[in-house]
Amino acid sequence: MAPSLEEPVHNTSYHKESLLWPAASVKPVKVAYEPGRTVVEDHEGYEHRDLLPRFPDVHWEPLTEVSYHDKGLQGHPQYRNLLAAATDIFDYNPKIGTEIHGVNLAKLTDAQKDDLARLISVRGVVFFRNQTDLDIDAQRELGQYFGKLHKHATTSVPQRPGLEDVHVVYTDEKSKEQRALFSPTFLWHSDVTYEIQPPSYTSLKVLTGPPRGGGGDTLWASQYAAYDMLSSHMQQYLENLTALHSAGIQATGSRALGRPVRRDPVITEHPLVRTHPVTGWKSLFFNPGFVIAIVGVPKAESEAIVRYLNEVIATTQELHVRFQWQKNDVAFWDNRICNHSASYGFAPHRRHAVRVACHAERPVFDPNGKSQEAELSYLYGLPKVNKDGSVQSNYND
């Protein structure tokens, strides 16, 4: 018999906390849970007021080339100095991302710092939890060990004077949602690649952020792995090309908001494939955020290359690692070999972080460079990757 359109109404009592179950069937629970809901922290008397953002109206001269020696070249091949203090270490996936426990970033020896640089050069990004001792002064001191700190021309710096080489990331409970302003692909970037010497070792510490499950994760993508997923034909083609990286979008956006531009915007030409001085591995040096054109090819061809590489970086899952932040966590990455992207959807939580980055060498391509994938496959006896997309295959769930 088909169900009637008019069902009888049963007078059943329900708990307010339960959407479906009668009171008699509800059992006591040890934890409270509401799907998709996280508690918003009260920030009255906020302890990091000196690191809140400001936009000083000053003007800086154009950057000039500075000397750079990569500390990773001095690191131990097995990272023995760094790992002497570790209680645990694990990779997020074979291509990118490692988390270390037991290491205090504020108390590293020079030998441990060298090992850290070497590990970041290999793994792209390394995560450290609950680094309460790493205040902004210690973070800057650690960054300065690796090289001259970069001063951003448009983004905010801390309220405390003298920290103009610190970049402040800040969104609070009153901020407007910005998700609709950007395409997801465009958010992928490597920091300030328009500079003549874009950064290498870069640290970001979250001072305050959404609680677990509240959003605000950051994603990184390996440019070693992006290069390695290309066919040998495409690799050789891109190795002979350069790209234009522009600061214009950031400068235009700042002026539109009535904010100062502290250094005149530049457009810089860099190789589309670069070689890392520590590992000798080749990587793409491309990002959707700042690359505006490929040099020496027709406009239609340039736009096709940009679209294709955007897709490679943004949609190839094995290139990616995703980090769920907690308060006082630190990510340390190499901007030469990683793109990264913020994620939205964490409103109305406050998200406050400070970033320190040092200048690296001017990007160079060495035709004698190696492939990360090929070297690791040889070392670990892994099967050779098949790049013939014409063969039949089942979908991989």
Side-chain angles (χ1 to χ4, degrees), residues 170-187:
Y170 185 77
T171 305
D172 66 17
E173 44 278 21
K174 298 178 182 178
S175 299
K176 295 181 179 179
E177 173 65 65
Q178 300 187 70
R179 179 169 44 193
L181 303 180
F182 306 99
S183 68
T185 300
F186 178 78
L187 288 172

Side-chain angles (χ1 to χ4, degrees), residues 92-96 188 219-222 225 229 311-322 395-396:
Y92 276 57
N93 67 57
K95 302 292 186 181
I96 181 174
W188 283 98
L219 296 88
W220 283 263
S222 169
M229 75 160 292
E311 182 178 6
V312 168
I313 289 166
T315 67
T316 309
Q317 291 83 358
E318 66 260 34
L319 311 185
H320 297 167
V321 61
R322 183 175 185 133
Y395 191 79
N396 182 30

Side-chain angles (χ1 to χ4, degrees), residues 95 222-232 234-235 284 308 311-313 315-319 371 373 385-387:
K95 302 292 186 181
S222 169
Q223 299 227 63
Y224 287 147
Y227 171 84
D228 281 336
M229 75 160 292
L230 305 175
S231 70
S232 59
M234 181 60 76
Q235 289 172 345
L284 277 183
Y308 171 61
E311 182 178 6
V312 168
I313 289 166
T315 67
T316 309
Q317 291 83 358
E318 66 260 34
L319 311 185
S371 156
E373 189 167 69
V385 174
N386 175 31
K387 296 184 179 181

